[in-house]
Amino acid sequence: MSRKRILTGDRPTGPLHLGHYVGSVANRARLQDEFETFVIIADAQALTTNFDRPERLAEDVLNVAMDNLACGVDPQKSVLFVQSLVPAIAELTVFYANLVTVNQLFHNPTIKTEAAQHNFEESMPFGFLGYPVSQAADITFCRANLVPVGEDQLPHIEMTRKIVRKFNSLYAPVLVEPEARVSEVSRLPGLDGGAKMSKSLGNAIYLSDPPDVVKQKVARAVTDPARIHPTDKGHPEICTVFAWHRAFNRAESDDIGERCRAGTIGCVPCKARLVAVLNEFLEPIRARRAGYEQDPDLVRDILSTGTARARHEGDRTMALVRAAMKIDYFPPPAPAATAGN
Ligand code: TRP
């Protein structure tokens, strides 16, 4: 039996940050040995909020590819590809659009949050409202079984599952119903203490940030506002810096939490320890990334090979989908009968 498949990925709206790493990139690098892994660089989805500046995509696509490679996504094991170059994704989106209602999309909590961030509440672009439909196509074009994502993506996976069930029961059971896999730490707070690290909120530490930038950013990270003096008793459960210790410094985090609570470690040494831990973690990623930065043609080659592979999978799925819908108007001739028949 063939291995189960993963599909996951990111919007190229800038380089990837620590939130992407703990939310899904680490998981995909870990799972690629066990599963056949497809990593999508969702450039068409990025356009749903950045349609006024398509010229940035070429660089951002390359950046996201390099971040994935630097984090250990191995092109020998995983298919790294560009969404807009896989026609099956656009084609499936058109067919799936008939299987969801506008109301379902308006009620999607992730759409609501993002619409507010982009001031789309009054006037919502059709492409933005519909991107979860296109994301269902991202996941199903390669018949993925598993989707490792951060928890903000769960409404989209739920919608994908609904679309698949509806398609399979209306036409024929050719699509695979995927399951989400949320990582242990699925949401990292931002520097500003906000619920989520995000590029658009300007509160992120990037995988490509040099050591001194990491240091400056951690220095200005919001901590427990009740702590004025290092001996004040702290509340690690509401502290951004503590959440990052939890995610990147598991071994010491219990101890740091206790000392914070007891008022025996101040925010300054707590932050200094985090900076050391983060820089140690980021060092090999920076080194691998630097190698790819010096050879962008290699990265383009990896992407173009992966994209060709994804197109091939997409063509196979489209044949099944068109047959299921009975719209395969010009099917290829049946293979010639063997001699004597
Ligand atoms: N919506 C995802 C994000 O914003 C990116 C994405 C696009 C994705 N297509 C996907 C994630 C398919 C998982 C599966 O991060």
Side-chain angles (χ1 to χ4, degrees):
M1 225 185 71
S2 62
R3 279 186 307 165
K4 289 203 169 181
R5 264 192 196 162
I6 279 179
L7 179 293
T8 184
D10 306 280
R11 292 179 197 181
T13 51
L16 299 184
H17 52 64
L18 295 177
H20 291 114
Y21 184 85
V22 299
S24 82
V25 179
N27 233 351
R28 81 184 63 144
R30 193 176 323 119
L31 293 168
Q32 66 186 342
D33 292 315
E34 190 186 339
F35 295 88
E36 201 178 346
T37 300
F38 286 73
V39 179
I40 190 168
I41 301 185
D43 60 334
Q45 191 177 111
L47 280 174
T48 66
T49 53
N50 291 313
F51 49 84
D52 52 339
R53 35 176 205 229
E55 66 281 0
R56 288 204 199 164
L57 276 174
E59 193 184 326
D60 283 339
V61 164
L62 219 54
N63 263 318
V64 169
M66 288 192 290
D67 282 331
N68 271 284
L69 295 165
C71 288
V73 170
D74 177 348
Q76 305 298 330
K77 297 177 187 163
S78 294
V79 179
L80 194 57
F81 71 97
V82 181
Q83 181 190 34
S84 69
L85 292 174
V86 179
I89 293 176
E91 293 168 20
L92 290 172
T93 302
V94 171
F95 298 148
Y96 294 170
N98 300 317
L99 308 181
V100 286
T101 66
V102 173
N103 263 331
Q104 279 173 313
L105 291 163
F106 274 123
H107 284 123
N108 180 309
T110 300
I111 286 285
K112 282 190 194 167
T113 311
E114 291 173 354
Q117 280 168 17
H118 296 281
N119 293 318
F120 282 165
E121 290 134 311
E122 291 304 307
S123 164
M124 195 164 312
F126 175 55
F128 172 79
L129 179 65
Y131 91 70
V133 181
S134 154
Q135 188 157 328
D138 297 343
I139 294 168
T140 53
F141 91 91
C142 65
R143 301 178 303 285
N145 308 93
L146 207 65
V147 191
V149 280
E151 67 180 1
D152 62 320
Q153 298 297 302
L154 291 178
H156 301 339
I157 314 302
E158 208 34 62
M159 171 161 281
T160 302
R161 289 164 61 89
K162 282 209 176 82
I163 290 172
V164 166
R165 289 198 291 266
K166 192 148 185 186
F167 185 102
N168 284 348
S169 71
L170 268 175
Y171 305 128
V174 296
L175 296 177
V176 174
E177 187 174 334
E179 262 172 53
R181 166 130 13 142
V182 179
S183 37
E184 210 178 309
V185 185
S186 76
R187 193 189 286 264
L188 209 59
L191 286 167
D192 54 356
K196 192 184 167 189
M197 187 175 281
S198 139
K199 171 177 177 272
S200 51
L201 301 175
N203 64 6
I205 295 179
Y206 293 97
L207 295 171
S208 46
D209 277 345
D212 53 321
V213 173
V214 171
K215 191 172 169 188
Q216 284 160 20
K217 285 184 174 176
V218 172
R220 67 176 168 81
V222 170
T223 56
D224 175 2
R227 293 195 89 191
I228 317 285
H229 308 291
T231 50
D232 292 342
K233 291 189 192 319
H235 307 87
E237 65 282 359
I238 61 158
C239 177
T240 303
V241 171
F242 183 69
W244 294 353
H245 273 295
R246 269 270 185 262
F248 292 96
N249 190 18
R250 194 83 222 185
E252 292 176 342
S253 64
D254 282 345
D255 181 49
I256 288 173
E258 272 169 37
R259 285 160 65 202
C260 171
R261 227 179 275 288
T264 57
I265 183 172
C267 293
V268 172
C270 175
K271 283 182 167 183
R273 183 66 196 131
L274 180 70
V275 169
V277 166
L278 286 181
N279 278 330
E280 195 179 319
F281 160 75
L282 288 171
E283 203 38 56
I285 297 179
R286 287 187 194 112
R288 267 195 301 258
R289 199 179 199 286
Y292 288 109
E293 277 164 13
Q294 281 173 6
D295 196 355
D297 281 341
L298 171 64
V299 181
R300 284 188 199 97
D301 265 2
I302 290 170
L303 279 177
S304 102
T305 305
T307 302
R309 172 73 204 288
R311 288 170 76 110
H312 176 72
E313 278 310 320
D315 290 347
R316 290 184 50 195
T317 301
M318 285 318 293
L320 296 171
V321 159
R322 286 185 159 275
M325 296 175 74
K326 305 196 172 26
I327 55 171
D328 49 348
Y329 310 118
F330 315 114
T338 39
N341 278 343

